[in-house]
Amino acid sequence: IIGIILNIFLAQYNLNKYDKTIKDYSGKTHNQMTKSDLVITWDYAEQFRKKLSSKEGFWSSLPSYDRFFLPSIIVGTYYYLIDKEIYEINGQEKVVKNKNYKFGLLLIQILIYYFSVFLLVKEVKKILHKNYHFFLLLFLSFEPTIIQWHSSLWSESLFISMMIFLFFLLIKNHKSNFLHLVCGI
């Protein structure tokens, strides 16, 4: 719980400090939190959100499967559900809006991460009957280079969460062929 609270404060701090529209060295305007590779992810998310809004259906609205698949679906679905636009026009340029409920996305990332940590630690506790699970919990909850991802909009936060969830599935003592299939996928 302390790790979740710490991450929430860090996420809010980063949003307050970096969720701004700035001009880069070439004069191009962009949101400071969604520059670089994130621009393409958020473009795909906006296209996905617009398709969902036009009632094309979820499956037919999905972006093409390439580099930015899952993060753009999450961002697009989030903004579709809260009924907010992602971009605004700033002069001649399209820029990700400032202060447009990005905290909800960060909160989702944080909760997914700590849920996967909870599942892993719970399973490790069953296997190792000593207090090793406590040290694993401390490490995964407070290690700075891991928790930095949850206060940014980069997809590494989701990757780390999925990796921890996969570790949970791999060490879980189960007989289900379905769970073996999920691990394989």
Side-chain angles (χ1 to χ4, degrees):
I1 292 174
I2 295 170
I4 293 171
I5 293 169
L6 176 70
N7 270 271
I8 288 172
F9 281 122
L10 186 59
Q12 189 62 49
Y13 172 79
N14 283 344
L15 276 176
N16 290 338
K17 186 169 182 173
Y18 299 110
D19 191 15
K20 301 175 188 168
T21 301
I22 62 168
K23 287 190 182 274
D24 64 12
Y25 64 92
S26 66
K28 186 175 178 186
T29 305
H30 58 83
N31 183 294
Q32 216 172 355
M33 286 196 74
T34 59
K35 62 182 180 178
S36 190
D37 284 349
L38 283 176
V39 171
I40 298 169
T41 302
W42 285 63
D43 282 343
Y44 282 1
E46 176 68 3
Q47 293 168 15
F48 179 63
R49 186 197 66 78
K50 283 182 178 179
K51 287 180 181 179
L52 284 175
S53 296
S54 67
K55 308 294 184 215
E56 289 187 32
F58 182 81
W59 297 111
S60 60
S61 299
L62 289 174
S64 62
Y65 179 69
D66 58 11
R67 185 174 173 197
F68 306 103
F69 189 66
L70 183 60
S72 58
I73 291 172
I74 291 172
V75 172
T77 302
Y78 171 75
Y79 279 105
Y80 171 74
L81 290 175
I82 65 170
D83 196 26
K84 298 292 179 193
E85 302 238 347
I86 296 175
Y87 284 98
E88 66 185 358
I89 303 300
N90 188 348
Q92 298 288 358
E93 298 175 306
K94 180 175 78 168
V95 179
V96 174
K97 288 182 176 183
N98 300 333
K99 313 286 187 233
N100 67 337
Y101 306 98
K102 291 180 193 81
F103 181 73
L105 286 168
L106 297 177
L107 186 60
I108 290 168
Q109 286 182 174
I110 291 167
L111 293 177
I112 289 172
Y113 174 74
Y114 279 98
F115 179 68
S116 66
V117 168
F118 169 76
L119 292 175
L120 178 67
V121 169
K122 185 178 166 188
E123 201 61 35
V124 166
K125 185 177 180 180
K126 290 178 189 175
I127 294 171
L128 303 174
H129 299 288
K130 296 189 179 182
N131 288 334
Y132 296 133
H133 67 282
F134 179 73
F135 295 110
L136 179 64
L137 179 65
L138 280 178
F139 177 77
L140 292 175
S141 295
F142 297 108
E143 205 284 320
T145 58
I146 294 175
I147 66 171
Q148 73 178 343
W149 294 111
H150 313 306
S151 61
S152 71
L153 296 167
W154 292 91
S155 60
E156 281 76 2
S157 174
L158 293 171
F159 173 75
I160 292 167
S161 301
M162 289 171 62
M163 190 171 57
I164 290 172
F165 186 72
L166 180 62
F167 289 153
F168 157 73
L169 288 176
L170 289 172
I171 66 171
K172 184 167 179 54
N173 187 11
H174 53 75
K175 306 271 190 259
S176 169
N177 286 335
F178 177 73
L179 285 177
H180 289 290
L181 179 67
V182 169
C183 287
I185 291 173

